[in-house]
Amino acid sequence: MLPDIDTEQRVEFLVKTFYSRVLKDEVLAPFFKDIDFPSHFPRMIAFWSFILLDKEGYKGNVFDKHVGLNIHEAEFEHWIFHFTKTVNDFFE
């Protein structure tokens, strides 16, 4: 039986595993090639902990930060595919 995403450590695993897949994907990798992931991971983990665990601490506007990536519907659906697959591969 797979675990739930119920701790910040599991959120961190999800985020890092997901983005390792994104960076290997030929469609999505070019959009993220200039991101300093080691510096950005704490904010992403805080965001997903806020969303998934209702943990306080994340402040920011996600839309404004990502609008400049110029990702269209097809790429976003590809992103959703990888996110869903990562969740389903490791969590209930």
Side-chain angles (χ1 to χ4, degrees):
M1 182 170 175
L2 296 172
D4 288 331
I5 304 170
D6 57 0
T7 67
E8 195 165 9
Q9 291 77 22
R10 290 182 176 156
V11 171
E12 179 178 357
F13 176 84
L14 169 65
V15 169
K16 289 182 175 181
T17 302
F18 166 67
Y19 278 101
S20 73
R21 292 176 175 192
V22 165
L23 292 172
K24 293 175 188 168
D25 182 276
E26 63 185 37
V27 172
L28 297 175
F31 292 98
F32 298 94
K33 66 179 169 50
D34 295 328
I35 304 291
D36 176 6
F37 278 96
S39 296
H40 197 49
F41 276 133
R43 287 190 60 82
M44 290 189 294
I45 293 164
F47 170 77
W48 285 107
S49 294
F50 172 74
I51 296 298
L52 297 171
L53 306 175
D54 200 28
K55 183 177 179 201
E56 292 184 25
Y58 178 79
K59 303 286 185 227
N61 184 322
V62 176
F63 179 79
D64 287 348
K65 300 292 183 188
H66 294 87
V67 72
L69 289 175
N70 202 26
I71 292 178
H72 298 95
E73 185 175 350
E75 291 92 8
F76 185 66
E77 287 177 8
H78 210 62
W79 187 96
I80 294 291
F81 166 79
H82 281 294
F83 188 82
T84 303
K85 181 159 178 31
T86 304
V87 170
N88 290 336
D89 284 350
F90 297 102
F91 299 103
E92 193 61 41

